[in-house]
Amino acid sequence: MTPKFDAAFRNFKVTALAGGVGGAKLLVGLDEVLQPGRLTAIVNTGDDFTHFGLHISPDLDSVCYALAGLADLVHGWGRKDESWQVLEELRRMGAPDWFALGDRDLAWHLERQRLLNEGKTLTEITAHFCEIFGIHSHVLPMCDEPAPTLIKTKEGAWLGFQDYFVRLKCQPEIAEIALLGNRAIAGSELVIQALQEADLIVIAPSNPWVSIDPILALEGVRDVLQQKLVVAVSPIIKGSALKGPAAKMFNDLGIKPSAQAVRQHYEGILDGFIFDNLDLEDAEKWQASAIITEPFQTIMTDDADKIALARAVISLGVRILQGR
Ligand code: FO1
């Protein structure tokens, strides 16, 4: 049954931390359920890299395309109604083709690079694109400076994230993950402000290690989260991730992947945690904690699922608030 919450809570200001595919789905639900402009998404840019001289920001684009209703729901990344003429021509020329940019997606990248070259920030460009595509939620890259996630393999090599993820198909075993290019980076003023002003902070069902941790690693972010109402949704269901290498990363790092492991990963910042109905039996064995946990259907196959989960997240936040 769809959880109900008072219409007043549609006025809630929600700030969500998200990566790409799974995170974007919940953002679509939140965007639908909340009053226009009451959702701010802070999006991971640790996956960003340069390809053919163009700045690529995969999670930011997945989120914007999803909120604009333009996402390719089959791949989970890129644009729907896409054509691939440029990629085919590049292939014919023997150019690198391991990272596939469709023609429409390429136009977005060309324009973003032109604006970056003019000195605009990623935050400014994202706001401009959101306006063009009629997105009324606010989308903020987690920071404007390069903050690459680096993967150290068990063989000792350091890889850029897209090298690991797309080119090597997540096959190398991970020994270590370095966030923010191993530098200290402060959360931007807009990011910190969006967290401070939120009635509820949501951690989307994105990869904890490489989508959410980079945002949490920004100076100032954890401090704000510790003082706010925070609800997370597990991206791990029955020990697996629906998409992507989250479960494999837990295994590589010596932790059994489970919803409980996700809850423990966020210990210290969470007030509420939603895990999938399929893990209900497992949850009965979890150690007690101050975090209020709740089962719900977290698999989002259509918009109704996205909206139902968004309502469940907000209604859990509201109940925690009312119980205080
Ligand atoms: N993921 C792939 O597995 N293969 C690709 O060729 C690929 C191209 C691509 C182009 C633009 C974009 O925004 C994303 C793209 N992704 C691709 C997805 C992306 O690299 C990953 O899903 C994220 O980095 C993980 O969150």
Side-chain angles (χ1 to χ4, degrees), residues 29-88:
L30 290 167
D31 178 72
E32 200 57 47
V33 162
L34 294 165
Q35 297 287 359
R38 308 297 280 180
L39 172 67
T40 300
I42 298 175
V43 182
N44 169 46
T45 56
D47 299 12
D48 292 19
F49 76 126
T50 304
H51 194 52
F52 286 103
L54 301 173
H55 181 95
I56 316 276
S57 204
D59 286 357
L60 209 47
D61 289 350
S62 294
V63 164
C64 290
Y65 290 154
L67 289 174
L70 297 171
D72 176 339
L73 301 177
V74 179
H75 282 113
W77 46 266
R79 289 282 292 265
K80 70 177 180 188
D81 303 326
E82 189 57 287
S83 56
W84 300 93
Q85 299 208 24
V86 174
L87 185 69
E88 279 162 23

Tab-separated table of all heavy atoms in Angstrom, residues 29-88:
chain	number	residue	atom	x	y	z
A	29	GLY	N	11.106	10.069	-8.462
A	29	GLY	CA	9.957	9.919	-7.551
A	29	GLY	C	9.834	11.115	-6.624
A	29	GLY	O	8.742	11.664	-6.441
A	30	LEU	N	10.950	11.559	-6.048
A	30	LEU	CA	10.925	12.701	-5.120
A	30	LEU	C	10.497	13.970	-5.857
A	30	LEU	O	9.707	14.771	-5.349
A	30	LEU	CB	12.312	12.900	-4.483
A	30	LEU	CG	12.748	11.826	-3.470
A	30	LEU	CD1	14.237	11.949	-3.154
A	30	LEU	CD2	11.929	11.936	-2.177
A	31	ASP	N	10.992	14.128	-7.063
A	31	ASP	CA	10.669	15.297	-7.892
A	31	ASP	C	9.162	15.354	-8.168
A	31	ASP	O	8.541	16.415	-8.198
A	31	ASP	CB	11.464	15.177	-9.200
A	31	ASP	CG	11.189	16.299	-10.177
A	31	ASP	OD1	11.637	17.420	-9.918
A	31	ASP	OD2	10.508	16.054	-11.199
A	32	GLU	N	8.582	14.180	-8.323
A	32	GLU	CA	7.149	14.060	-8.625
A	32	GLU	C	6.297	14.363	-7.381
A	32	GLU	O	5.252	14.995	-7.467
A	32	GLU	CB	6.918	12.611	-9.103
A	32	GLU	CG	5.690	12.327	-9.894
A	32	GLU	CD	5.545	13.170	-11.148
A	32	GLU	OE1	6.523	13.317	-11.924
A	32	GLU	OE2	4.438	13.698	-11.319
A	33	VAL	N	6.766	13.898	-6.231
A	33	VAL	CA	5.974	13.941	-4.999
A	33	VAL	C	6.043	15.304	-4.307
A	33	VAL	O	5.077	15.749	-3.699
A	33	VAL	CB	6.503	12.811	-4.053
A	33	VAL	CG1	6.090	13.032	-2.630
A	33	VAL	CG2	6.027	11.459	-4.550
A	34	LEU	N	7.193	15.977	-4.411
A	34	LEU	CA	7.391	17.246	-3.695
A	34	LEU	C	6.897	18.419	-4.531
A	34	LEU	O	6.734	18.310	-5.748
A	34	LEU	CB	8.882	17.442	-3.374
A	34	LEU	CG	9.478	16.432	-2.392
A	34	LEU	CD1	11.001	16.475	-2.438
A	34	LEU	CD2	8.993	16.715	-0.974
A	35	GLN	N	6.667	19.552	-3.858
A	35	GLN	CA	6.322	20.777	-4.579
A	35	GLN	C	7.497	21.165	-5.480
A	35	GLN	O	8.652	20.945	-5.098
A	35	GLN	CB	6.067	21.926	-3.583
A	35	GLN	CG	4.909	21.700	-2.653
A	35	GLN	CD	3.560	21.835	-3.343
A	35	GLN	OE1	3.484	22.119	-4.538
A	35	GLN	NE2	2.500	21.615	-2.618
A	36	PRO	N	7.221	21.756	-6.639
A	36	PRO	CA	8.315	22.143	-7.544
A	36	PRO	C	9.361	22.993	-6.826
A	36	PRO	O	9.018	23.917	-6.095
A	36	PRO	CB	7.609	22.962	-8.633
A	36	PRO	CG	6.187	22.519	-8.583
A	36	PRO	CD	5.898	22.115	-7.168
A	37	GLY	N	10.629	22.621	-7.035
A	37	GLY	CA	11.722	23.412	-6.463
A	37	GLY	C	12.098	23.033	-5.042
A	37	GLY	O	13.039	23.596	-4.478
A	38	ARG	N	11.362	22.046	-4.448
A	38	ARG	CA	11.669	21.684	-3.050
A	38	ARG	C	12.717	20.569	-2.967
A	38	ARG	O	13.107	20.182	-1.868
A	38	ARG	CB	10.404	21.238	-2.293
A	38	ARG	CG	9.256	22.198	-2.373
A	38	ARG	CD	9.548	23.525	-1.746
A	38	ARG	NE	9.416	23.533	-0.301
A	38	ARG	CZ	9.625	24.600	0.467
A	38	ARG	NH1	10.007	25.741	-0.078
A	38	ARG	NH2	9.467	24.537	1.765
A	39	LEU	N	13.113	20.026	-4.117
A	39	LEU	CA	14.144	18.971	-4.121
A	39	LEU	C	15.467	19.528	-4.652
A	39	LEU	O	15.497	20.202	-5.685
A	39	LEU	CB	13.704	17.804	-5.017
A	39	LEU	CG	14.762	16.714	-5.279
A	39	LEU	CD1	15.094	15.951	-3.987
A	39	LEU	CD2	14.293	15.734	-6.360
A	40	THR	N	16.533	19.254	-3.907
A	40	THR	CA	17.882	19.532	-4.418
A	40	THR	C	18.638	18.213	-4.453
A	40	THR	O	18.655	17.480	-3.455
A	40	THR	CB	18.639	20.524	-3.507
A	40	THR	OG1	17.901	21.745	-3.456
A	40	THR	CG2	20.036	20.819	-4.038
A	41	ALA	N	19.240	17.916	-5.603
A	41	ALA	CA	20.056	16.702	-5.706
A	41	ALA	C	21.522	17.116	-5.697
A	41	ALA	O	21.934	17.977	-6.484
A	41	ALA	CB	19.730	15.966	-6.997
A	42	ILE	N	22.290	16.523	-4.778
A	42	ILE	CA	23.748	16.718	-4.780
A	42	ILE	C	24.340	15.460	-5.415
A	42	ILE	O	24.137	14.346	-4.915
A	42	ILE	CB	24.280	16.922	-3.347
A	42	ILE	CG1	23.646	18.188	-2.747
A	42	ILE	CG2	25.798	17.014	-3.342
A	42	ILE	CD1	23.998	18.428	-1.286
A	43	VAL	N	25.011	15.649	-6.543
A	43	VAL	CA	25.363	14.489	-7.369
A	43	VAL	C	26.880	14.255	-7.385
A	43	VAL	O	27.679	15.200	-7.527
A	43	VAL	CB	24.828	14.690	-8.807
A	43	VAL	CG1	25.140	13.479	-9.672
A	43	VAL	CG2	23.325	14.947	-8.781
A	44	ASN	N	27.241	12.990	-7.281
A	44	ASN	CA	28.639	12.565	-7.324
A	44	ASN	C	29.323	12.981	-8.625
A	44	ASN	O	28.778	12.784	-9.717
A	44	ASN	CB	28.667	11.033	-7.200
A	44	ASN	CG	30.029	10.439	-7.486
A	44	ASN	OD1	31.036	10.943	-6.993
A	44	ASN	ND2	30.061	9.376	-8.267
A	45	THR	N	30.517	13.541	-8.511
A	45	THR	CA	31.308	13.825	-9.718
A	45	THR	C	32.641	13.066	-9.695
A	45	THR	O	33.535	13.367	-10.483
A	45	THR	CB	31.589	15.342	-9.868
A	45	THR	OG1	32.245	15.793	-8.677
A	45	THR	CG2	30.313	16.133	-10.086
A	46	GLY	N	32.745	12.102	-8.765
A	46	GLY	CA	33.972	11.298	-8.688
A	46	GLY	C	34.202	10.452	-9.928
A	46	GLY	O	35.330	10.021	-10.195
A	47	ASP	N	33.133	10.202	-10.710
A	47	ASP	CA	33.250	9.381	-11.933
A	47	ASP	C	33.686	10.213	-13.133
A	47	ASP	O	33.888	9.675	-14.218
A	47	ASP	CB	31.888	8.775	-12.321
A	47	ASP	CG	31.299	7.850	-11.277
A	47	ASP	OD1	31.820	7.834	-10.156
A	47	ASP	OD2	30.324	7.155	-11.586
A	48	ASP	N	33.768	11.538	-12.958
A	48	ASP	CA	34.046	12.420	-14.098
A	48	ASP	C	35.443	12.155	-14.673
A	48	ASP	O	36.371	11.810	-13.944
A	48	ASP	CB	33.966	13.892	-13.667
A	48	ASP	CG	32.543	14.308	-13.308
A	48	ASP	OD1	31.723	13.408	-13.047
A	48	ASP	OD2	32.270	15.517	-13.266
A	49	PHE	N	35.559	12.328	-15.968
A	49	PHE	CA	36.872	12.224	-16.608
A	49	PHE	C	36.848	12.992	-17.929
A	49	PHE	O	35.834	13.592	-18.282
A	49	PHE	CB	37.281	10.751	-16.800
A	49	PHE	CG	36.586	10.021	-17.930
A	49	PHE	CD1	37.328	9.368	-18.920
A	49	PHE	CD2	35.201	9.973	-18.017
A	49	PHE	CE1	36.703	8.680	-19.952
A	49	PHE	CE2	34.562	9.288	-19.049
A	49	PHE	CZ	35.319	8.638	-20.010
A	50	THR	N	37.997	13.022	-18.595
A	50	THR	CA	38.077	13.720	-19.879
A	50	THR	C	38.232	12.688	-20.985
A	50	THR	O	39.062	11.781	-20.883
A	50	THR	CB	39.282	14.690	-19.870
A	50	THR	OG1	39.131	15.555	-18.754
A	50	THR	CG2	39.328	15.526	-21.138
A	51	HIS	N	37.419	12.816	-22.033
A	51	HIS	CA	37.449	11.857	-23.137
A	51	HIS	C	37.308	12.659	-24.423
A	51	HIS	O	36.398	13.478	-24.539
A	51	HIS	CB	36.264	10.891	-22.963
A	51	HIS	CG	36.331	9.663	-23.794
A	51	HIS	ND1	37.423	8.824	-23.842
A	51	HIS	CD2	35.408	9.101	-24.628
A	51	HIS	CE1	37.174	7.811	-24.649
A	51	HIS	NE2	35.970	7.948	-25.137
A	52	PHE	N	38.220	12.458	-25.381
A	52	PHE	CA	38.242	13.268	-26.612
A	52	PHE	C	38.247	14.771	-26.266
A	52	PHE	O	37.614	15.572	-26.947
A	52	PHE	CB	37.048	12.947	-27.523
A	52	PHE	CG	37.170	11.626	-28.224
A	52	PHE	CD1	36.442	10.530	-27.786
A	52	PHE	CD2	38.025	11.465	-29.309
A	52	PHE	CE1	36.567	9.302	-28.427
A	52	PHE	CE2	38.151	10.244	-29.962
A	52	PHE	CZ	37.431	9.159	-29.521
A	53	GLY	N	38.906	15.108	-25.166
A	53	GLY	CA	39.002	16.521	-24.764
A	53	GLY	C	37.730	17.082	-24.143
A	53	GLY	O	37.660	18.274	-23.843
A	54	LEU	N	36.739	16.227	-23.929
A	54	LEU	CA	35.460	16.700	-23.383
A	54	LEU	C	35.315	16.279	-21.922
A	54	LEU	O	35.641	15.141	-21.560
A	54	LEU	CB	34.295	16.097	-24.178
A	54	LEU	CG	34.265	16.418	-25.665
A	54	LEU	CD1	33.164	15.616	-26.349
A	54	LEU	CD2	34.056	17.918	-25.890
A	55	HIS	N	34.790	17.197	-21.117
A	55	HIS	CA	34.510	16.845	-19.722
A	55	HIS	C	33.274	15.941	-19.694
A	55	HIS	O	32.213	16.317	-20.180
A	55	HIS	CB	34.247	18.111	-18.895
A	55	HIS	CG	33.975	17.809	-17.462
A	55	HIS	ND1	34.956	17.835	-16.495
A	55	HIS	CD2	32.844	17.421	-16.824
A	55	HIS	CE1	34.438	17.487	-15.339
A	55	HIS	NE2	33.158	17.229	-15.509
A	56	ILE	N	33.424	14.737	-19.115
A	56	ILE	CA	32.301	13.792	-19.020
A	56	ILE	C	31.901	13.694	-17.551
A	56	ILE	O	32.751	13.488	-16.682
A	56	ILE	CB	32.710	12.376	-19.511
A	56	ILE	CG1	33.527	12.429	-20.807
A	56	ILE	CG2	31.495	11.465	-19.627
A	56	ILE	CD1	32.786	12.515	-22.072
A	57	SER	N	30.618	13.838	-17.303
A	57	SER	CA	30.117	13.817	-15.929
A	57	SER	C	28.938	12.844	-15.876
A	57	SER	O	27.775	13.250	-15.855
A	57	SER	CB	29.685	15.245	-15.560
A	57	SER	OG	29.718	15.420	-14.188
A	58	PRO	N	29.233	11.524	-15.863
A	58	PRO	CA	28.185	10.523	-16.093
A	58	PRO	C	27.010	10.591	-15.110
A	58	PRO	O	25.856	10.515	-15.532
A	58	PRO	CB	28.917	9.190	-15.955
A	58	PRO	CG	30.347	9.505	-16.165
A	58	PRO	CD	30.546	10.895	-15.653
A	59	ASP	N	27.301	10.743	-13.821
A	59	ASP	CA	26.201	10.715	-12.850
A	59	ASP	C	25.330	11.964	-12.970
A	59	ASP	O	24.096	11.892	-12.900
A	59	ASP	CB	26.737	10.575	-11.423
A	59	ASP	CG	27.242	9.163	-11.144
A	59	ASP	OD1	27.117	8.314	-12.048
A	59	ASP	OD2	27.747	8.899	-10.043
A	60	LEU	N	25.994	13.082	-13.176
A	60	LEU	CA	25.259	14.339	-13.344
A	60	LEU	C	24.312	14.238	-14.553
A	60	LEU	O	23.147	14.641	-14.492
A	60	LEU	CB	26.288	15.443	-13.572
A	60	LEU	CG	25.988	16.863	-13.140
A	60	LEU	CD1	25.424	16.930	-11.744
A	60	LEU	CD2	27.267	17.695	-13.243
A	61	ASP	N	24.825	13.654	-15.641
A	61	ASP	CA	23.993	13.534	-16.838
A	61	ASP	C	22.865	12.524	-16.646
A	61	ASP	O	21.737	12.768	-17.075
A	61	ASP	CB	24.866	13.158	-18.048
A	61	ASP	CG	25.748	14.330	-18.475
A	61	ASP	OD1	25.527	15.454	-17.963
A	61	ASP	OD2	26.648	14.129	-19.297
A	62	SER	N	23.173	11.403	-15.971
A	62	SER	CA	22.109	10.404	-15.728
A	62	SER	C	20.984	11.044	-14.925
A	62	SER	O	19.797	10.826	-15.201
A	62	SER	CB	22.647	9.198	-14.951
A	62	SER	OG	23.575	8.502	-15.749
A	63	VAL	N	21.348	11.855	-13.926
A	63	VAL	CA	20.335	12.504	-13.086
A	63	VAL	C	19.535	13.521	-13.905
A	63	VAL	O	18.297	13.534	-13.869
A	63	VAL	CB	21.010	13.173	-11.857
A	63	VAL	CG1	20.080	14.166	-11.187
A	63	VAL	CG2	21.460	12.105	-10.863
A	64	CYS	N	20.225	14.364	-14.665
A	64	CYS	CA	19.512	15.402	-15.442
A	64	CYS	C	18.621	14.768	-16.503
A	64	CYS	O	17.465	15.176	-16.677
A	64	CYS	CB	20.504	16.368	-16.089
A	64	CYS	SG	21.304	17.421	-14.879
A	65	TYR	N	19.134	13.780	-17.218
A	65	TYR	CA	18.312	13.127	-18.251
A	65	TYR	C	17.082	12.461	-17.613
A	65	TYR	O	15.981	12.527	-18.162
A	65	TYR	CB	19.125	12.081	-19.019
A	65	TYR	CG	20.203	12.648	-19.929
A	65	TYR	CD1	21.330	11.897	-20.270
A	65	TYR	CD2	20.089	13.921	-20.479
A	65	TYR	CE1	22.315	12.406	-21.110
A	65	TYR	CE2	21.072	14.438	-21.322
A	65	TYR	CZ	22.183	13.672	-21.629
A	65	TYR	OH	23.152	14.172	-22.464
A	66	ALA	N	17.285	11.830	-16.453
A	66	ALA	CA	16.147	11.165	-15.791
A	66	ALA	C	15.101	12.201	-15.380
A	66	ALA	O	13.904	12.026	-15.625
A	66	ALA	CB	16.625	10.363	-14.580
A	67	LEU	N	15.534	13.302	-14.762
A	67	LEU	CA	14.576	14.318	-14.294
A	67	LEU	C	13.878	15.007	-15.464
A	67	LEU	O	12.751	15.474	-15.338
A	67	LEU	CB	15.290	15.366	-13.422
A	67	LEU	CG	15.738	14.885	-12.034
A	67	LEU	CD1	16.559	15.956	-11.329
A	67	LEU	CD2	14.538	14.496	-11.171
A	68	ALA	N	14.547	15.053	-16.606
A	68	ALA	CA	13.946	15.680	-17.791
A	68	ALA	C	13.092	14.688	-18.578
A	68	ALA	O	12.479	15.061	-19.586
A	68	ALA	CB	15.052	16.251	-18.684
A	69	GLY	N	13.056	13.429	-18.147
A	69	GLY	CA	12.299	12.396	-18.872
A	69	GLY	C	12.984	12.023	-20.183
A	69	GLY	O	12.348	11.536	-21.118
A	70	LEU	N	14.303	12.233	-20.263
A	70	LEU	CA	15.034	11.992	-21.513
A	70	LEU	C	16.012	10.821	-21.410
A	70	LEU	O	16.829	10.603	-22.304
A	70	LEU	CB	15.836	13.253	-21.892
A	70	LEU	CG	15.022	14.510	-22.191
A	70	LEU	CD1	15.943	15.718	-22.333
A	70	LEU	CD2	14.212	14.310	-23.467
A	71	ALA	N	15.942	10.077	-20.301
A	71	ALA	CA	16.946	9.030	-20.066
A	71	ALA	C	16.684	7.776	-20.881
A	71	ALA	O	15.540	7.405	-21.134
A	71	ALA	CB	16.970	8.677	-18.587
A	72	ASP	N	17.764	7.136	-21.296
A	72	ASP	CA	17.687	5.818	-21.922
A	72	ASP	C	17.513	4.803	-20.790
A	72	ASP	O	18.456	4.502	-20.061
A	72	ASP	CB	18.994	5.558	-22.679
A	72	ASP	CG	19.054	4.165	-23.288
A	72	ASP	OD1	18.316	3.275	-22.822
A	72	ASP	OD2	19.832	3.961	-24.227
A	73	LEU	N	16.282	4.309	-20.645
A	73	LEU	CA	15.986	3.438	-19.507
A	73	LEU	C	16.536	2.033	-19.703
A	73	LEU	O	16.626	1.264	-18.757
A	73	LEU	CB	14.471	3.392	-19.262
A	73	LEU	CG	13.817	4.754	-18.969
A	73	LEU	CD1	12.318	4.622	-18.810
A	73	LEU	CD2	14.423	5.403	-17.727
A	74	VAL	N	16.926	1.701	-20.941
A	74	VAL	CA	17.465	0.362	-21.187
A	74	VAL	C	18.918	0.298	-20.703
A	74	VAL	O	19.284	-0.542	-19.877
A	74	VAL	CB	17.365	-0.019	-22.685
A	74	VAL	CG1	17.949	-1.400	-22.935
A	74	VAL	CG2	15.911	0.056	-23.142
A	75	HIS	N	19.769	1.216	-21.211
A	75	HIS	CA	21.167	1.245	-20.759
A	75	HIS	C	21.267	1.704	-19.303
A	75	HIS	O	22.135	1.267	-18.565
A	75	HIS	CB	21.990	2.234	-21.601
A	75	HIS	CG	22.377	1.705	-22.940
A	75	HIS	ND1	21.876	2.230	-24.108
A	75	HIS	CD2	23.210	0.706	-23.302
A	75	HIS	CE1	22.391	1.572	-25.130
A	75	HIS	NE2	23.198	0.652	-24.675
A	76	GLY	N	20.388	2.649	-18.931
A	76	GLY	CA	20.507	3.264	-17.605
A	76	GLY	C	21.385	4.502	-17.654
A	76	GLY	O	21.552	5.191	-16.659
A	77	TRP	N	22.005	4.798	-18.782
A	77	TRP	CA	22.802	6.009	-18.953
A	77	TRP	C	22.556	6.529	-20.367
A	77	TRP	O	22.073	5.798	-21.234
A	77	TRP	CB	24.297	5.737	-18.734
A	77	TRP	CG	24.823	4.519	-19.420
A	77	TRP	CD1	24.938	3.268	-18.875
A	77	TRP	CD2	25.278	4.404	-20.788
A	77	TRP	NE1	25.432	2.388	-19.817
A	77	TRP	CE2	25.658	3.064	-20.984
A	77	TRP	CE3	25.402	5.301	-21.843
A	77	TRP	CZ2	26.152	2.593	-22.200
A	77	TRP	CZ3	25.897	4.842	-23.064
A	77	TRP	CH2	26.266	3.500	-23.225
A	78	GLY	N	22.883	7.776	-20.593
A	78	GLY	CA	22.711	8.355	-21.925
A	78	GLY	C	21.259	8.709	-22.224
A	78	GLY	O	20.383	8.645	-21.352
A	79	ARG	N	21.022	9.122	-23.494
A	79	ARG	CA	19.731	9.653	-23.915
A	79	ARG	C	18.852	8.612	-24.583
A	79	ARG	O	19.342	7.735	-25.298
A	79	ARG	CB	19.975	10.774	-24.940
A	79	ARG	CG	20.548	12.034	-24.362
A	79	ARG	CD	19.486	12.849	-23.676
A	79	ARG	NE	18.519	13.384	-24.624
A	79	ARG	CZ	18.591	14.598	-25.153
A	79	ARG	NH1	19.567	15.401	-24.799
A	79	ARG	NH2	17.702	15.026	-26.016
A	80	LYS	N	17.535	8.730	-24.377
A	80	LYS	CA	16.618	7.887	-25.159
A	80	LYS	C	16.562	8.459	-26.578
A	80	LYS	O	17.000	9.590	-26.815
A	80	LYS	CB	15.244	7.828	-24.500
A	80	LYS	CG	14.442	9.104	-24.538
A	80	LYS	CD	13.069	8.854	-23.904
A	80	LYS	CE	12.267	10.135	-23.930
A	80	LYS	NZ	11.016	10.062	-23.189
A	81	ASP	N	16.004	7.718	-27.503
A	81	ASP	CA	15.916	8.123	-28.914
A	81	ASP	C	17.279	8.580	-29.426
A	81	ASP	O	17.394	9.589	-30.127
A	81	ASP	CB	14.906	9.271	-29.094
A	81	ASP	CG	13.522	8.901	-28.578
A	81	ASP	OD1	13.160	7.708	-28.711
A	81	ASP	OD2	12.833	9.771	-28.024
A	82	GLU	N	18.301	7.839	-29.060
A	82	GLU	CA	19.674	8.219	-29.401
A	82	GLU	C	20.062	7.652	-30.764
A	82	GLU	O	19.537	6.626	-31.207
A	82	GLU	CB	20.605	7.679	-28.293
A	82	GLU	CG	22.044	8.125	-28.338
A	82	GLU	CD	22.216	9.638	-28.318
A	82	GLU	OE1	21.926	10.258	-29.359
A	82	GLU	OE2	22.678	10.185	-27.309
A	83	SER	N	20.981	8.308	-31.465
A	83	SER	CA	21.601	7.739	-32.671
A	83	SER	C	23.106	7.695	-32.409
A	83	SER	O	23.604	8.355	-31.500
A	83	SER	CB	21.274	8.588	-33.888
A	83	SER	OG	21.688	9.922	-33.676
A	84	TRP	N	23.824	6.917	-33.211
A	84	TRP	CA	25.227	6.601	-32.879
A	84	TRP	C	26.160	6.821	-34.067
A	84	TRP	O	27.159	6.135	-34.212
A	84	TRP	CB	25.303	5.138	-32.394
A	84	TRP	CG	24.461	4.904	-31.181
A	84	TRP	CD1	23.169	4.472	-31.155
A	84	TRP	CD2	24.827	5.156	-29.815
A	84	TRP	NE1	22.705	4.431	-29.857
A	84	TRP	CE2	23.706	4.840	-29.016
A	84	TRP	CE3	25.996	5.609	-29.192
A	84	TRP	CZ2	23.713	4.967	-27.626
A	84	TRP	CZ3	26.001	5.728	-27.813
A	84	TRP	CH2	24.870	5.411	-27.044
A	85	GLN	N	25.828	7.794	-34.925
A	85	GLN	CA	26.614	7.975	-36.149
A	85	GLN	C	28.056	8.387	-35.856
A	85	GLN	O	28.982	7.915	-36.514
A	85	GLN	CB	25.937	9.022	-37.027
A	85	GLN	CG	24.550	8.572	-37.422
A	85	GLN	CD	24.124	9.151	-38.735
A	85	GLN	OE1	24.929	9.523	-39.563
A	85	GLN	NE2	22.833	9.240	-38.935
A	86	VAL	N	28.251	9.278	-34.883
A	86	VAL	CA	29.617	9.731	-34.577
A	86	VAL	C	30.446	8.558	-34.056
A	86	VAL	O	31.585	8.348	-34.483
A	86	VAL	CB	29.585	10.892	-33.562
A	86	VAL	CG1	30.996	11.262	-33.118
A	86	VAL	CG2	28.883	12.104	-34.157
A	87	LEU	N	29.848	7.767	-33.153
A	87	LEU	CA	30.582	6.622	-32.595
A	87	LEU	C	30.953	5.630	-33.708
A	87	LEU	O	32.077	5.116	-33.754
A	87	LEU	CB	29.731	5.934	-31.520
A	87	LEU	CG	30.446	4.803	-30.780
A	87	LEU	CD1	31.560	5.331	-29.874
A	87	LEU	CD2	29.473	3.993	-29.932
A	88	GLU	N	29.995	5.375	-34.631
A	88	GLU	CA	30.280	4.440	-35.732
A	88	GLU	C	31.438	4.941	-36.588
A	88	GLU	O	32.316	4.178	-37.000
A	88	GLU	CB	29.027	4.256	-36.602
A	88	GLU	CG	28.045	3.263	-35.997
A	88	GLU	CD	26.649	3.379	-36.593
A	88	GLU	OE1	26.524	3.881	-37.731
A	88	GLU	OE2	25.684	2.993	-35.893
